[in-house]
Amino acid sequence: QVQLDESGGGLVQPGGSLKLSCVVSGVTVDTYTIGWFRQAPGKEFEDREQVSCINRGRKINRSYSDSVKGRFTIDRDNAKNTIYLQMTSLKPDDTGTYYCATAPAGWNTCDYGMDVWGLGTQVTVSS
């Protein structure tokens, strides 16, 4: 049974940084493609935005939405079975609930069909 547990959210001023963690249990983290998604305030869960994705396997490929490219970094620690999202130069538009999710076994995309979701961690960017 795959379980995801996000943490690291909080209140930060514009221009600040946060590092989110997604601890994965039940499977080895490098055997699944995993993504970070965010749900903006007032938006439905179905309208969540894919923020970043890291593929399964030894050769790591990372992808980012245009809105976070150059500011966010996704990474993986196999020893800790954890996916991280380092967020810098945060803006008020980055505010939202951030979720990590796994793609189905054997998939190499986060664009659709994400299988297992965590409960999310709240990020608020405000002065």
Side-chain angles (χ1 to χ4, degrees):
Q1 188 84 2
V2 180
Q3 285 191 297
L4 307 174
D5 185 16
E6 305 97 333
S7 64
L11 173 63
V12 63
Q13 292 188 340
S17 299
L18 279 176
K19 186 174 184 178
L20 306 184
S21 299
C22 172
V23 178
V24 180
S25 58
V27 296
T28 305
V29 69
D30 60 349
T31 61
Y32 279 76
T33 294
I34 297 176
W36 283 99
F37 297 76
R38 69 184 176 197
Q39 179 184 2
K43 294 268 184 102
E44 297 292 330
F45 182 71
E46 290 72 21
D47 297 324
R48 61 200 178 274
E49 172 193 6
Q50 182 189 145
V51 172
S52 185
C53 183
I54 187 166
N55 69 295
R56 65 189 180 97
R58 290 188 176 181
K59 183 182 177 186
I60 293 178
N61 289 314
R62 300 173 175 87
S63 64
Y64 302 93
S65 66
D66 288 342
S67 62
V68 307
K69 200 171 294 182
R71 300 187 296 120
F72 290 11
T73 303
I74 190 170
D75 213 346
R76 185 174 74 201
D77 186 330
N78 293 342
K80 295 183 178 180
N81 226 39
T82 300
I83 300 291
Y84 299 101
L85 186 68
Q86 177 69 55
M87 308 187 294
T88 63
S89 302
L90 282 161
K91 306 174 182 179
D93 283 350
D94 295 319
T95 294
T97 304
Y98 283 70
Y99 301 88
C100 60
T102 61
W107 286 29
N108 292 310
T109 182
C110 294
D111 290 343
Y112 55 89
M114 299 305 281
D115 196 15
V116 179
W117 294 80
L119 296 180
T121 185
Q122 178 66 37
V123 171
T124 303
V125 185
S126 174
S127 54

